[in-house]
Amino acid sequence: MRAAIIGATAVGGAGAVLGGRALLQRQAAIARSRIGKPHGEEAIDADRVWRKRFDGPPLELLVLGDSIAAGLGAERRKDTLGARVAKGVGARLKRPVRLRTAAVVGSESSALGAQLDALPADYRADVAVIVVGGNDVTHRVPISASVTHLTQAIRRLRAAGAEVVVGTCPDLGALRPVPQPLRALGARISRRLANAQAAAASAAGARPVSLRRAVGAVFISDPHEMFSLDRFHPSALGYRRTAMALVPAVVEVLS
C-alpha cells in the first residue's frame, strides 16, 4: 500500500511539474505576443560627446549589456541610458563625456565578451557601465553561467585600466504584460541573479548598483510613466530614473 501511495505521489508530482512547465510556456507565449517589437531591434545611436561646453579632454564612457543598456524604447538620443549617464556624469564632474555604446539589443551576459572584442584595438575606456541579466532570466540561463561571463568582462575592463559600474538585473516582477505565475517566477529569479551579480562585481573590483532597490518600486507603482510603448523597456522617464541611480556610482569610481 505504501509503495502504491509513493508511486502515485511520484506520478502526480511528475504530472504537476509537466503541467506547470506547460503553463509557464503558454504564459511566455502570451507575454511575447503582448509585448511585441514596436521599437524594432535597433536602439537610437546616441554615441557622441556630451556636455561639450566643459573644458578638458572628454572622459571615455563605455556602455555594455542588453537592450536597456542600448537604450531601446527611447525616442530621442538624449533619453537613452548611455546619454543620460553621460550627461549626469559630465554635469557633476564638469567634464565633457564621450559615449560609446557597445550594448546590443537581445544580449545575454554571454555576449559581453563579443561586445568587448568588437571595440577598436586602441580604444580605452575611463569607465564602463554594464547592465545585463534580463535576457538571461527569460532564456533560463543558469545563474552561475551568467555570473561567470560578467566576471570575465569586468576583469578584462579592469585589466585595461577602466573603472566598472554594474547595474544589476532589474526586477522582472514589474513587467505587467507577463501573467502570473510566470511574473512571480521571473521576479524571484531576477532577484537571485541580481544578488549574485552584485557579489561577483564587488569581488572582481567593480561597483554594483541594485536597480531593483533603486528604481524597482517606482516601475511597479507607476508603470504607465516608467515603461515605453511595449511595456517592457523603459520610457524616457524610466531611463532618467535608472541613470540617476547609476550616475553617483560612476562619479564615485572616477573620483
Side-chain angles (χ1 to χ4, degrees):
M1 176 67 71
R2 181 180 179 184
I5 293 174
I6 293 174
T9 302
V11 171
V17 169
L18 292 174
R21 186 174 300 166
L23 172 62
L24 294 178
Q25 289 173 344
R26 288 196 301 272
Q27 292 189 331
I30 292 171
R32 285 192 295 270
S33 66
R34 288 178 178 175
I35 294 167
K37 295 183 179 181
H39 304 300
E41 298 283 355
E42 297 291 333
I44 294 175
D45 182 2
D47 288 1
R48 52 166 284 185
V49 176
W50 296 91
R51 301 301 190 197
K52 291 181 181 180
R53 68 178 183 272
F54 295 122
D55 296 328
L59 289 166
E60 298 290 340
L61 168 64
L62 174 65
V63 179
L64 302 163
D66 55 22
S67 54
I68 292 177
L72 189 67
E75 297 181 358
R76 301 177 296 179
R77 63 183 182 179
K78 70 178 184 179
D79 292 325
T80 62
L81 181 65
R84 284 287 185 185
V85 172
K87 290 188 294 180
V89 171
R92 292 209 184 188
L93 297 181
K94 302 296 187 287
R95 290 276 302 277
V97 178
R98 180 182 288 112
L99 171 65
R100 181 182 290 269
T101 305
V104 177
V105 174
S107 290
E108 300 171 4
S109 299
S110 59
L112 293 173
Q115 292 176 16
L116 289 172
D117 291 340
L119 295 170
D122 60 349
Y123 176 75
R124 295 292 181 270
D126 292 305
V127 61
V129 172
I130 303 175
V131 179
V132 74
N135 292 314
D136 296 67
V137 174
T138 60
H139 296 160
R140 295 181 292 181
V141 176
I143 289 176
S144 58
S146 299
V147 168
T148 295
H149 291 299
L150 176 63
T151 299
Q152 290 171 346
I154 294 171
R155 287 175 176 168
R156 285 182 61 178
L157 289 161
R158 297 291 290 136
E163 301 293 340
V164 183
V165 172
V166 176
T168 59
C169 183
D171 185 357
L172 298 194
L175 301 177
R176 296 289 182 88
V178 179
Q180 298 287 16
L182 183 60
R183 193 194 317 162
L185 178 62
R188 185 163 62 251
I189 297 175
S190 62
R191 290 171 187 173
R192 288 175 54 202
L193 175 57
N195 290 336
Q197 287 175 323
S202 295
R207 171 78 156 77
V209 175
S210 173
L211 295 183
R212 179 178 66 84
R213 294 192 185 98
V215 299
V218 69
F219 273 84
I220 291 173
S221 64
D222 196 4
H224 297 295
E225 293 293 328
M226 292 297 110
F227 285 103
S228 62
L229 180 64
D230 64 7
R231 296 182 294 166
F232 187 86
H233 295 94
S235 63
L237 181 57
Y239 279 122
R240 178 184 175 188
R241 294 295 294 265
T242 303
M244 286 171 60
L246 294 167
V247 166
V250 175
V251 171
E252 180 181 324
V253 299
L254 287 172
S255 299

